[in-house]
Each structure stands twice: as structure tokens, then as C-alpha cells.
Amino acid sequence: MNAADTITIAIVDDHTLFRDGLANLLSEFSHIQVLFKAHNGEDLQKQLALHPLPDVTLLDVNMPGMDGFATLSWLTEHHPAARVLALSMFEDDMSIIRMLRKGAGGYVMKECKAAELVTAIEAVHRQGYYINELVTGKLMRALRETDKPDSKTNPLALLSDRELEFINWCCTELTYKEIAVEMNASPRTIDGYREDVFEKLGLKSRTGLVIFAVKNRIYKG
């Protein structure tokens, strides 16, 4: 296995048996390497002082002390390049939407099968997000219940046709370089679309862009 193909991860969870069990499970996959484990956000900060930033951080939502929400906020501020996959035992709508809005690239249940977890890790590493049926369903319901349309500002009016096309491609598994090919544009032009769209919509991540696209029905599927 080429070292460049290896996905490094960190496991942040307050249950020792779960942390160790998950580490042992993932060790069976040759392309995944567990860099370190931590029992909450404060411990994660200590571990990051001793280890490089992992490609993907598996982050428990409910932990004593510094929980998943506070930890994700800290990571976003201090390590903007960090990619996070949220783990939880609860299918709580607001927890899911809150973690996604804070920058998590996906949300999976702890009881999910190993194959789904590995797929989610690979997706978050490769494209920055993993959208499964749980996230899509909960996300749409939570958005309908909590978001009220702003009659003064229509964000779609700020976007050009090419930017809307770019957003639609961002909801696929294609990389930015592959999107450039599909849109018959240069990588620099795609970078420009990304920067302009993020600025216009007040977004900071591709995950946020996907959420926006789902909410506003831009993604054609």
C-alpha cells in the first residue's frame, strides 16, 4: 500500500471500549491508519500538540467536558483544514443539523456497519463530505422546521448560471479538478467560482455548500 493512499484518522470518544473497539475494527483495513485516540475535546487538543492533523477525525457528539459541538468549533477555528465525521448513538434532528452547520463533513450512527463507516471516512477524506439517507432526511426536516425564508434577500439571486452549475457539480463525488473538466473550465476558474460562491453565501466549506444546495433544491440529483 502506497503511503500516499493511506487515510490517517483520530478517534475522539469518551467510551474506552468503543474507542479501542473501533480502532481494532479499522485496523483491519490496510488503507486506514489510526494516529491517536482521545476521550474528549481537551484531550484532542493535547494529542494534536504531539501528532500531525489526521486526514479525518471521528468525533463523538456527546462527551463530558468538551463535547463534540465545542470540539468542532475549536477545530474549525484552529485547524480549518480539519475534516470531521460525526459519530452518535442518537438520531436527533437538531444535533445532526448543528454538527453539519459547524462544519462536520457527515454524520453516522455508531451502530452502522463497518462498510458504511469506511465509505463515510473515504468520502469525507476525498471530497469533504458524506451525505447518507440519515443526513438527507433529518437535514431536510430540520431545515423546514427551523429555517424561515428571508423575504428581503434571495441568495439564489446573487448567483450566476455558471455558479449554480458549479454548485450542482459540488454535490457529486467529483473533485474540483474533475468539475473543471465537466464545466470545460480551467482549475483557476473553478477556484474563482468557489471563492465567489462561498463569499456570496457566507459559507466556509463544501459541506455547507451541499447543505445549501439541498435546502434550495439546486442539486438536480
Side-chain angles (χ1 to χ4, degrees):
M1 171 71 62
N2 191 317
D5 298 327
T6 300
I7 302 174
T8 59
I9 69 168
I11 301 173
V12 186
D13 192 282
D14 62 307
H15 292 95
T16 303
L17 288 177
F18 180 80
R19 282 198 315 270
D20 293 344
L22 186 55
N24 290 333
L25 173 67
L26 293 175
S27 69
E28 298 179 6
F29 298 86
S30 59
H31 65 301
I32 295 178
Q33 176 190 357
V34 179
L35 281 184
F36 61 84
K37 296 172 285 184
H39 59 262
N40 61 16
E42 289 98 341
D43 193 23
L44 172 64
Q45 293 180 24
K46 295 177 182 177
Q47 296 295 332
L48 284 175
L50 303 173
H51 300 87
L53 183 70
D55 293 322
V56 179
T57 297
L58 306 184
L59 181 61
D60 185 21
V61 176
N62 299 289
M63 298 179 291
M66 191 173 182
D67 64 10
F69 303 113
T71 301
L72 185 52
S73 294
W74 181 88
L75 274 173
T76 301
E77 178 180 356
H78 293 87
H79 298 279
R83 295 192 168 186
V84 174
L85 178 63
L87 301 176
S88 180
M89 294 180 62
F90 306 102
E91 295 186 28
D92 176 62
D93 288 13
M94 294 315 298
S95 291
I96 294 175
I97 192 67
R98 188 178 173 192
M99 287 297 285
L100 292 173
R101 281 176 168 162
K102 284 182 174 292
Y107 193 109
V108 297
M109 301 300 296
K110 288 184 177 181
E111 63 186 23
C112 73
K113 295 182 179 179
E116 180 185 357
L117 179 60
V118 171
T119 296
I121 291 172
E122 293 170 343
V124 170
H125 171 58
R126 181 177 62 253
Q127 62 198 29
Y129 66 91
Y130 172 68
I131 303 296
N132 53 4
E133 291 183 5
L134 169 68
V135 168
T136 302
K138 299 291 186 180
L139 173 62
M140 291 303 296
R141 182 161 65 252
L143 284 171
R144 285 197 299 268
E145 292 174 353
T146 63
D147 285 1
K148 296 181 180 179
D150 187 345
S151 58
K152 298 180 180 180
T153 304
N154 177 10
L156 296 181
L158 302 174
L159 303 170
S160 68
D161 290 342
R162 288 289 276 175
E163 287 171 340
L164 288 170
E165 181 184 356
F166 167 73
I167 292 174
N168 193 60
W169 282 115
C170 283
C171 296
T172 69
E173 295 186 359
L174 296 181
T175 65
Y176 287 125
K177 288 184 178 179
E178 292 169 336
I179 291 174
V181 173
E182 293 293 336
M183 293 186 65
N184 194 26
S186 69
R188 180 172 295 182
T189 297
I190 294 301
D191 287 341
Y193 288 151
R194 183 180 69 244
E195 293 174 3
D196 290 345
V197 167
F198 281 4
E199 182 177 356
K200 288 179 180 180
L201 301 179
L203 301 173
K204 296 181 179 180
S205 69
R206 186 166 173 173
T207 305
L209 191 59
V210 172
I211 293 173
F212 174 84
V214 172
K215 174 186 173 183
N216 291 278
R217 299 182 181 181
I218 295 174
Y219 180 44
K220 300 299 190 290

